[in-house]
Amino acid sequence: MTSTSATGIQRPPIRTVNSGRAPGHYSASQITQQPPRSIPRQLSIDRIPELLSSGDSSKPTIKRQKVESIQDTVRNIDLTIPESIPGSSGQFIKQTSLSDAKPTDAIKGPESITVKTGVRERPRPPFPQALGRVNDGIGRKAGGSLKAIVKEEVQARPYSLEIPKSAPQYGDNAPADFFPWTGNHPEDILNENSTRNGYYDRVHISQNESNGARPSVWSNLKTRSGVQILSSLFASALDQRHQHGTVKASCTFKPPPRVTLTDTKREAWLRDLANPTIPLRRLSRTIPHGIKGKTLLDHCMTKNIPTWRAVWLAKCVGANELRAFKRKGNNGAFTAGGEAKWIKDWTTNVEQFIEALLDSCGTHEWKTEITYGLQLIAHIYSEHLLDEDHFLDWMLASFQSSEVDRLPIWLLITRIFWKDLWRYRHRGRQLAEAMLNHLQLVNQKDMLSAYKPIQLQLAAMLRSCVKCFPDCFILPACWIKHEATLNSCSDNLDQQFVHALKGLSTRNEKFKRALDEDDLATAGTPRCKLIKVLDNIPLRFNLPAVSDSCLAVVNEYNLLIATVVEWASTRYRNRIDRVYIAVRLLRRWRKQGVSLDNPISIFLGQCSTLAGVLRANVSKIVAELVRSSNFSISKYLQWLISRGPSNSTTKEHDKDDYPSTLLMELPLHGLPQHVLSLRQILLNNVGHPAVEEQETIQAVKMVLAEKLPDLLAESNSDRISRGAVELSRTLRGTVKSEISYWIRQSLVIRLRQEEDSLLHGQINNSMGKTLTVNELKTICTTLEDYGDFAVLADILSLASNSNDSSLLTIVVTVVNRHLDVFWAIGAAQEMFHDLLTQSVNCLNRDSPDKQLLLSLVDLGEQLPNAARQVRQLRKQIILCDSKPSLSACSPVSDHVAEALLSAEANFVEEMETLLSSGNSMDRQTLSRIFATITKRLEKSWNNDNQAISGHYALLDRLYAFDKEAFIQLLLNWLGSVQGASERPKMQEVLAPLVCAGTLKLHTYFERVVLQLGTIKDAGSRARFAVETLSLLVEKLEDVNEVNTDPHTSLGEDCFSPPSRDYRYYNAQRQVIYDYPDLIQNLLLEVISPNAHSEAHGTCRTCDLVLRSAFPQIIQTLVVQHPSIGHEIEQQLGLQSEHYPITRLVNLILGLMDTTNASKSISKEFHQLLDIVDDFNTIFCQLKLLTLLGGPQTSQKDIESVTDRIISMLIQKLTTPTKSESTPWVCLVRKLSHNRALKFHEQITSILLASIPHVEVEFEDTQKSNTIQKDTLKSLLHSIDVVERQIPKSASSSIFNRVDDKLRSLHSLPLFQEANLARNSPPKGVFSIMSIKNEFDVVYTNVDIILRFVVIHLNMSRHPSLSPAILARLLVGLGLLLVHPLFSSHPITSTYIFDTIGLLSDCLSLETRHLCVRTLRDQHQIRDPRLQFLIGYSENIDGERLRLVMKGSHTLSDSTGASPASSSSNVQTATSMPFAIRRWEMVQDATPIIGENDTSLSLSLFGARKAIL
């Protein structure tokens, strides 16, 4: 019957016997058999239930049940919204159920409704509708009026019938029983027969086939050859089918031609392309010309062309463009280059299209446009229509340089191409580093809440990437920077991420090298890291923080304790508080359960072999630990006994045995009698009788008792000879400790007695009567001489309870002088609070003492968290200076004339009266008064010291009127004084000003540095700089290691209440620690080449250098600021004679001055090698430069000396040592590049020679290997140090040697897979152990090669390195990676993998192709690890798809037989790579369907025609 038309209207039903029923009423069977209606394409999801239930309520109940079942069916259907094209690498399918759909979502048609698997299925054809049922629309309202669902557009074309989609179809998609009405069909003719019986198809039976074929066929099959006949029949049928059914026609594919159309026709064509109902074959007749590049993409987006049809248009345009290159008649190379250029330009257009989309962010319908654009680009990318390398590299570069505000959209774009970005390491590494940089930047944002979503998304992505792609996070160059960022992403619940992060940290640590040039030789060892932590401890340190920093660097307590003790006792550090810092650290670790006895005993046994260790400091550390019961003397005595006597043969040498003589430095208080007896026995054995020690103690007590008769009393003093007192300057530590303890106990006993008297009401002030000012002076001087600051702190704490302001002032002065030491002890903060409390009590009871308040302010300014107390003290000082204001007070200038003309005897008193008469002064008056005071001061320099003090007091009073103007006048005056011929030392001029607070010492240094630029004569500048640097040396001349305070030499005047000389020491320390650039400028002037043209200038410089404090200052500066050491090195290279620097370096290193002695350079270098360690590396480098650049050394001598130095270093390297640190290797860095290269070549030869390059017996290899293990670390470390010194152009020879060594390893029988397969499990224990040890030797050799390659990674990026050499090296390492020998050794395998990854990060395209070709020859092209590292796809150069061509040739026998018997045709096949033309893979390219019209010819596959 006639089917429905395109509009859905059916023919009226033919009346049957039951046609008398009313229209619209049918039987139940008719309703049940009726198929469900198909949902129109324009129907909204949310209107389906409404429309299905909007029929007449008078319908039968069975219809309502059917509607409900349809609703249930529709609810179970999921709507799949593809966000990208299926099959692409960035496919993300979002499953949206129909129940979750929004009212605005619309069904796009049956093709977009799929099951939950997301696989598109073809909709099943519905059953034909029942007879007599009229399609009266989708539904009606209750009123019966028909409502149009969607208003359709009026078509411009003439109406044509279309096959309804609901029509049944045959297998070839031909409609069943579809005959549109034309008036000529038999069904359209009404006659009596069709009216009565209806129309039906009659079966035409041929009269010739009245019977079956069995009678005629069966007779032939019954014969003996019947089966052969049947077989031949079937074979003939199949042969005919093959001949007539195979596609043999030539390919007729041709891209749709392009023609020039008007704008109207082009727009109409694009609208037809956007209409999915119009077939592409109709549009493929012609395509508009001029639509290409970014314009094509813009048209597709504006016209909302479906992505698959837009890709069809892009392919058509691209195929025409690419074929145009071939039509030009150029050669193949030019054609290939043109095609590649066009594809790259097309990729650039795609990139510009994406950038334009991102630039239009925030405009109208931007979300729709970006969604369509990304879907289109993803579809184009999945069809391989882009230059993928160029596109992905552009995406990575854009993501790396993206701003934080655009980061979300770039994260979305990268997620689309996620798998391709992580497929190869060279891109995955860049993406990982970019994500880490962005997360670090987001974490640093001030408004973190605004970027919180980005932070969470980046953290989640990084967690996923670390678990899935950990190999891309091997970033040793920036791992230190990003490790904390990755740790911030950690989630304690995600144990897989935590485990992966630990693995990454371990793998990156293997490739981390020392990046600091200053500590290059030793920065990688834990010991040197600990030394750097200790050197950077601030003056006001936090003990728990310092302890945690030390434990974070070194977790092995023996090394930790030994390094801390050596740092506190080495002569190459001069920090005065380091002894007590070490003591407090050791006490803290002892409380945590760490034993100190064994590590300290071991260090004491090695102390004599360590260069630069000051035994006095070691003894002080041990004594303080014994005093606090943290070090057991009894265990130490047992260790001495078990250690035995020293190796010396003379008794004189036994006296110098330090572990034994240490017994005379330890305190004895609280020790049991048996320990004291054992100590006495041991001392007698080494020649130090204990009787002499007791006599000395009694003698010192007698002397002190005479000085302090009221406080100290010694009953046995008459029996002691006073000659023993001469030993007081060389007292042992035990004597000093006993005397200190005796003084403290005497004071405590006196206090207890006075407290008892106070309780009985006999006295009013205990401390005021117990301790006087003179007694406190004597006690402080004695304990400062002994260096026992721990007991001094206890005595000062006891004295701080006094109510005497003068006594408190003495206490504050001493605390100010030794504040660094008291802070290291841990008593400074408590003493400050006690003194502050007592000062408040004094203020409440008596008039305030200004000197006490000023000293407390100086102390509080140096303490942290004391700002509030300092402000209160300053207020008290202002109250002390305040006077009642007079109403008729005149300005100071009214009395200036009278005061300036006063006599010298009354000048100070007159000026005091003048300055007290007012509170204001103009600058002109200030200048007049200042000039008068300074002139009187200059006249009194050689006459009256009391007048000098009065003049400085007047300057201090004048400073308060106008500080800024006064400082300018003072600096100008000091400049004129410095140039005067007759004047005292500048220290005598400046010290009173600095101590009074009138002038900052660093301000004067800044003025001097500026003034040096105006002096043209180099000698004058040097003298000026020497005198200025002497200001830092004054009062530091007699300082020893423990007590470096400058004020102990001032005598008793420093304890007078008005004195605050500690300010000068604090000012010196401030210049040294806070203004090193000023000292650097002055020092460079002193050691400049032109500064010593005169002998007098050299002598002045040497006098400065010879002062003991100056080398300590330079030592501190160089340790804290290594750039100063580099400046000194540069000055050494500019001058031929540097005698002052030589003496300075010798003093720092503790070497004898050999400048004028006839001592060879080789001997001096031997001595230098013996003393070099981790603490004096930079000073040893300076010493080497002075040796090689001396005035008596010629160039020939330098070359011979450097050759001997290299041989000495190599001999030292090959000496077995267990130490990981070889600081003397850094001396090579100071040699020339050629000498460093020679040293590098010799060490490399020694190192690579340890690897067996031929087959050797295992026994010999084992012997050599045991010797090598002790020297491998030092050799590799030496190469690591020297590598930065040699020129990078030497990389080719280095990697050539590594490649040769790899080839020799591959040639070993152990590396042959045949031998591995042939090696069955050996019999006997000896054979098993032999093979196991042989494998260990191989693994060790491979590890040496890998570490050697890692050291020279920077050289692999040098342009002079040949790509062929680097490719051979990569292939050699790659063959190691894929070798089955390392499959059972994951540590070595992972190390090889990471090394190849770092080498391949910056490979050029040429080098990658070389590697691929070499790997193909080695048949290792399929290994996925190599594909990931080197970065090539599986189907490179058409390996996946190949064209096979069959042929035949004749094989002839050479024996002379007949041709018939000696020749035969042999079928052969040759294959060649076959590249698919991606741009020509176009469907429906021709308007007429052809037999072979596909872009890929069907004849290549032997395709057959479809026969129905």
Side-chain angles (χ1 to χ4, degrees), residues 1148-1173:
I1148 293 176
L1149 294 176
L1151 301 175
M1152 296 181 61
D1153 188 11
T1154 58
T1155 308
N1156 298 325
S1158 58
K1159 190 174 183 179
S1160 64
I1161 298 179
S1162 300
K1163 292 182 179 180
E1164 290 194 45
F1165 186 75
H1166 268 298
Q1167 185 181 7
L1168 187 63
L1169 286 180
D1170 293 335
I1171 67 171
V1172 63
D1173 61 7

Side-chain angles (χ1 to χ4, degrees), residues 122 186 231 241 550 736 738 926 939 1215 1281 1463:
R122 188 174 185 177
S231 177
R241 177 186 176 184
C550 295
K736 294 179 180 179
E738 288 295 318
L926 179 67
K939 292 179 180 180
T1215 303
V1281 173
S1463 62

Side-chain angles (χ1 to χ4, degrees), residues 1304-1324:
S1304 64
L1305 282 178
H1306 286 294
S1307 64
L1308 292 176
L1310 189 62
F1311 274 78
Q1312 303 299 326
E1313 293 184 3
N1315 290 341
L1316 288 176
R1318 204 167 45 239
N1319 283 337
S1320 59
K1323 298 180 181 180

Side-chain angles (χ1 to χ4, degrees), residues 484-497:
T485 305
L486 274 177
N487 288 327
S488 65
C489 304
S490 177
D491 187 1
N492 295 329
L493 300 178
D494 194 350
Q495 294 299 325
Q496 184 181 0
F497 173 75

Side-chain angles (χ1 to χ4, degrees), residues 530 547-548 550-565 585-586 588-600 602-603:
L530 178 60
S547 176
D548 294 341
C550 295
L551 293 174
V553 173
V554 178
N555 54 7
E556 203 272 317
Y557 282 102
N558 290 334
L559 176 62
L560 178 66
I561 294 171
T563 306
V564 170
V565 175
L585 285 173
L586 295 175
R588 180 178 179 85
W589 296 331
R590 179 65 181 86
K591 291 180 180 180
Q592 296 176 357
V594 180
S595 177
L596 303 179
D597 300 328
N598 189 41
I600 292 180
I602 294 175
F603 178 80

Side-chain angles (χ1 to χ4, degrees), residues 378-531:
H379 198 160
I380 292 175
Y381 181 84
S382 65
E383 295 286 342
H384 303 282
L385 303 181
L386 298 174
D387 187 345
E388 296 183 2
D389 292 335
H390 188 280
F391 181 72
L392 294 177
D393 292 341
W394 166 83
M395 187 183 305
L396 274 177
S398 301
F399 179 71
Q400 290 173 347
S401 60
S402 172
E403 299 177 355
V404 180
D405 297 334
R406 286 195 175 186
L407 202 54
I409 188 62
W410 277 113
L411 289 175
L412 175 62
I413 295 175
T414 54
R415 288 295 297 268
I416 296 176
F417 308 94
W418 196 247
K419 292 183 179 179
D420 288 341
L421 289 173
W422 293 102
R423 182 172 297 169
Y424 305 127
R425 172 179 160 78
H426 67 279
R427 290 198 186 97
R429 177 190 59 84
Q430 298 179 36
L431 181 58
E433 192 170 354
M435 293 172 65
L436 290 171
N437 288 329
H438 285 308
L439 181 58
Q440 186 178 19
L441 182 62
V442 170
N443 292 338
Q444 295 174 355
K445 288 291 183 180
D446 296 334
M447 299 178 61
L448 188 60
S449 58
Y451 300 95
K452 193 67 175 180
I454 303 177
Q455 182 189 22
L456 295 177
Q457 187 176 5
L458 279 172
M461 293 171 67
L462 281 172
R463 283 197 299 269
S464 176
C465 295
V466 167
K467 292 184 291 186
C468 299
F469 313 104
D471 300 325
C472 296
F473 287 86
I474 305 301
L475 309 168
C478 57
W479 180 251
I480 300 177
K481 173 185 175 183
H482 294 310
E483 187 176 9
T485 305
L486 274 177
N487 288 327
S488 65
C489 304
S490 177
D491 187 1
N492 295 329
L493 300 178
D494 194 350
Q495 294 299 325
Q496 184 181 0
F497 173 75
V498 175
H499 181 71
L501 195 58
K502 290 181 180 178
L504 284 177
S505 180
T506 303
R507 294 167 67 180
N508 279 280
E509 285 292 331
K510 292 184 178 181
F511 299 95
K512 186 176 66 174
R513 298 180 62 196
L515 301 179
D516 190 3
E517 291 291 338
D518 304 321
D519 299 329
L520 181 62
T522 54
T525 61
R527 169 183 165 87
C528 295
K529 293 179 182 178
L530 178 60
I531 293 174

Side-chain angles (χ1 to χ4, degrees), residues 1044-1118:
T1044 56
D1045 184 76
H1047 306 293
T1048 57
S1049 61
L1050 294 178
E1052 296 185 358
D1053 291 339
C1054 65
F1055 295 107
S1056 59
S1059 176
R1060 287 187 291 164
D1061 288 348
Y1062 59 84
R1063 281 191 170 186
Y1064 190 75
Y1065 167 67
N1066 294 337
Q1068 290 174 323
R1069 187 184 58 182
Q1070 184 183 15
V1071 174
I1072 294 172
Y1073 284 96
D1074 298 340
Y1075 300 93
D1077 52 337
L1078 299 177
I1079 303 178
Q1080 178 180 347
N1081 294 331
L1082 295 173
L1083 182 63
L1084 294 180
E1085 290 291 342
V1086 171
I1087 64 176
S1088 62
N1090 299 324
H1092 312 295
S1093 57
E1094 301 178 1
H1096 180 66
T1098 304
C1099 293
R1100 291 176 63 91
T1101 305
C1102 293
D1103 292 340
L1104 174 66
V1105 169
L1106 288 177
R1107 299 194 182 189
S1108 60
F1110 187 73
Q1112 295 178 3
I1113 294 174
I1114 302 303
Q1115 188 181 85
T1116 302
L1117 290 175
V1118 172

Side-chain angles (χ1 to χ4, degrees), residues 1202-1228:
T1202 51
D1203 291 338
R1204 289 198 300 270
I1205 288 174
I1206 290 175
S1207 60
M1208 294 177 194
L1209 290 175
I1210 293 176
Q1211 183 180 1
K1212 190 106 176 166
L1213 275 173
T1214 54
T1215 303
T1217 178
K1218 295 183 180 180
S1219 176
E1220 295 182 1
S1221 177
T1222 53
W1224 39 266
V1225 180
C1226 65
L1227 300 178
V1228 184

